[in-house]
Amino acid sequence: MSEVSRGGGGRAFALLLAYAALVAVALASPLTAVHGVESALALGILLPPAVAACAALDALRWPARERLALLRTTALRSLLAWALPVLLLALGSVRVRQCTPLEGLTFMLLGPLVGVGLAALSGLTVGSLLTGSSLARRRPRMVGALGAALPIGALGLGLFRFWSTPTISIYGAYAGWFPGTIYDEDVALTPTYVSQRALVVALTLGLAAVWSAARDPQSGGLRAAVARRQPGLVALGHAGHRALRGRHGLRAGAGHASSAAYIDEQLGRVLRGQRCVLHAPRELPLDGAERLLDDCEFSVAQAERGLGVTATQPVHAFFYRSAEEKRRLMGAGATFIAKPWRNEVHLQLGGWPHPVLAHEVVHAIARYASQGPFAVSGSLGGWFPNPGLIEGVAVAIAWDDRDGLTPDEWSAGLLAHDALPSPRDFLGLRFGTIEPRRAYSAAGSFVRYLREREGVAMLREVHRLGRVSGVTRASLAELEAGWKAHLRRVPLPEGALDMVALRLTRGSIFETVCPHRVAQLRTTLAADFAAADLPSARRTCRELLAIDPNDLSTRAHAVGVEARSGDFSEAHAGLRWLQEQNAPKAIEAYAASALADAYLARDSFDRARDAYAALLPLQPDEASRRQIEVKLLALRASRAPSPAARAVAGRRRAAPRPGARHAAHPRAGRPAR
């Protein structure tokens, strides 16, 4: 082995380590700066091509007889290339809180570590196959590029599966797990992912065995004749191949992938209409299924009128029994999904009319005002999506209320609080960095104003090209000024500003500390309240506040929980903290009401009366004030309140939940928007 070849290999490894370190440094967002599913996916995408290229070059330069030494060195270099960014991300937990360190490390082990292991064997195989070739002698760097092409090609295969099947959750041999939409906070380690990585490990071991058996000790290339002399290694390689073949043969049943046929098999009912095809659970009564189909048909007609297009193919609406079943069959749990290029929308069963069906159907119909392989709004022929326009058009056409406010009312409230995002921020990739209710409401309100001012034909052109600037007659600055002037004239219902203020207490998934753990704890807290489990609710509130002491909603919950548990000093301290932080009135009112109800439930009538009296000015509407006045009348009438007053106090009011979805009123009586 020449000194030149040794030096070249050393330089390649040094470049690999430098690249791995830069990748870790680039993951500076709070969402990716620590071990977790997002950072594991980023490393799983970015590290394997570099590792495979380095391994392919190693196979060219290493002495043919030193088979095991080459295997050990390649494994060690791959391990170091994985360990360096993992260590740097671990140090990042000093800056960004890590709430689930064990789960985060598990994602790092299952994702990029398994991926770089397979990439190393892939690179060795490519390099050994090309050893002695004219390409290896004249252009050895091309051999490294060919090694890197395998992980890159696998990414392309995953993208093709995303495009060609209903699934949104992709399991890749090298990259690991893409769990679906990036803004879905409810993501956790699943047995399906563990089983998929076990199969990849089996494939890697089988590939290592075949490579070891087939490497010629004279030339360094791979020879079938050499492999026949080592039947044990060949058998191990065959076992890895069988694992891979089993994975592909049983992928739908194992949950590693999906198809429309498999989903229909699991759901069991298909109904066809003129504009929609309904895919629903077999146990859903026929009249209920027909009602859903009618809802879908109406939503399609509304979307066609709103965009001025005519659909030529029916929309396939998949309704799952639960969020968990939807996650298992197509990858998205609580998140509702549309795949416009496949004419599909995926939702779980809800009320009638379905609260978000109209929104998702608009995505499917908007394909007729789109271009590119994904049929969404985007520049560069639709290859560069504009999420602000994609979601803004859906909100503008469906125009559903959320928490009793229209998108215009939400946006007017945000403007009043000086918190309305600019179109320059939400009409592009930065849409995802804004808290969802603010982003969706503002984008929908702006797009609706754009349609009213510029016309529906101009809206279609804006959507097709994926941009506003240079397309509309008015400039973006002129449109923004006109939009804000329009919002200042929007009348707001009583209590709207308090409702909007609640939304300002939460950030986007990119700003939230430990978003996945927080989502799990909020689900646990809801279950605690449903089960009236005060000790568990107390623990959950305290864990949430340990993660984010400024979580106003949890602070309000904690006041009620502490008071009902008998710790009134802690409850009062929480209420004072909310007052000192100038929390929105709705938050303070919920906490103060929970405290007053706890006094009444424990027969502290004088304190309850004083607390209710202080609570009156905080009520956002007449109905809430009337409820407090009923309790005060009962307390003033006699020292022992009536059973009715006790019953009212005993009800645990739900804290205002920004972003909660409520079923809309039937849309059939409304004009299309």
Side-chain angles (χ1 to χ4, degrees), residues 201-211 233 236-241:
V201 169
L203 170 64
T204 303
L205 293 176
L207 184 60
V210 169
W211 179 86
L233 291 177
L236 183 58
H238 181 61
H241 170 71

Side-chain angles (χ1 to χ4, degrees), residues 165-457:
T165 70
T167 188
I168 196 170
S169 178
I170 304 299
Y171 295 95
Y174 297 93
W177 181 35
F178 172 62
T181 54
I182 195 169
Y183 47 81
D184 190 352
E185 296 178 349
D186 188 13
V187 176
L189 198 64
T190 65
T192 301
Y193 184 37
V194 174
S195 67
Q196 188 265 352
R197 299 318 273 169
L199 291 171
V200 174
V201 169
L203 170 64
T204 303
L205 293 176
L207 184 60
V210 169
W211 179 86
S212 297
R215 182 166 170 94
D216 191 332
Q218 303 301 322
S219 67
L222 298 184
R223 303 288 184 269
V226 178
R228 284 194 289 269
R229 301 172 192 168
Q230 303 182 64
L233 291 177
V234 172
L236 183 58
H238 181 61
H241 170 71
R242 289 184 61 186
L244 176 66
R245 186 176 61 185
R247 169 176 173 255
H248 282 281
L250 301 174
R251 55 185 178 180
H256 299 150
S258 190
S259 67
Y262 181 72
I263 292 174
D264 280 343
E265 178 186 330
Q266 296 297 302
L267 292 178
R269 183 191 289 277
V270 178
L271 287 181
R272 297 184 180 275
Q274 291 184 342
R275 292 183 170 96
C276 288
V277 178
L278 180 75
H279 307 255
R282 59 174 57 87
E283 68 272 14
L284 184 68
L286 182 59
D287 60 343
E290 290 175 339
R291 204 160 46 241
L292 274 178
L293 182 60
D294 289 342
D295 194 7
C296 183
E297 299 260 319
F298 178 83
S299 297
V300 171
Q302 177 179 258
E304 288 178 330
R305 289 193 298 271
L307 282 168
V309 299
T310 300
T312 58
Q313 297 180 22
V315 173
H316 289 257
F318 292 82
F319 287 90
Y320 301 84
R321 297 173 178 89
S322 65
E324 185 52 43
E325 182 182 56
K326 182 150 67 73
R327 188 191 310 278
R328 178 175 62 85
L329 293 179
M330 60 81 60
T335 305
F336 302 105
I337 293 296
K339 283 196 165 186
W341 64 96
R342 290 182 53 83
N343 296 299
E344 291 177 356
V345 297
H346 296 264
L347 317 97
Q348 52 265 34
L349 291 171
W352 184 87
H354 195 280
V356 293
L357 174 62
H359 178 99
E360 300 304 329
V361 163
V362 174
H363 286 310
I365 299 303
R367 66 168 297 187
Y368 298 100
S370 307
Q371 58 182 335
F374 296 104
V376 295
S377 177
S379 56
L380 300 178
W383 284 90
F384 196 73
N386 186 326
L389 281 174
I390 293 169
E391 296 298 343
V393 166
V395 172
I397 302 301
W399 206 247
D400 285 330
D401 296 351
R402 289 292 178 262
D403 295 321
L405 300 180
T406 68
D408 267 358
E409 290 167 342
W410 273 107
S411 298
L414 289 169
L415 182 60
H417 284 289
D418 196 25
L420 183 69
S422 168
R424 293 174 181 79
D425 293 327
F426 60 70
L427 292 181
L429 291 180
R430 283 187 288 178
F431 176 88
T433 65
I434 305 171
E435 190 279 323
R437 175 57 54 81
R438 295 173 60 202
Y440 277 69
S441 298
S445 174
F446 178 80
V447 169
R448 182 177 171 83
Y449 171 78
L450 172 66
R451 189 187 70 168
E452 296 302 316
R453 173 169 171 159
E454 300 284 314
V456 68

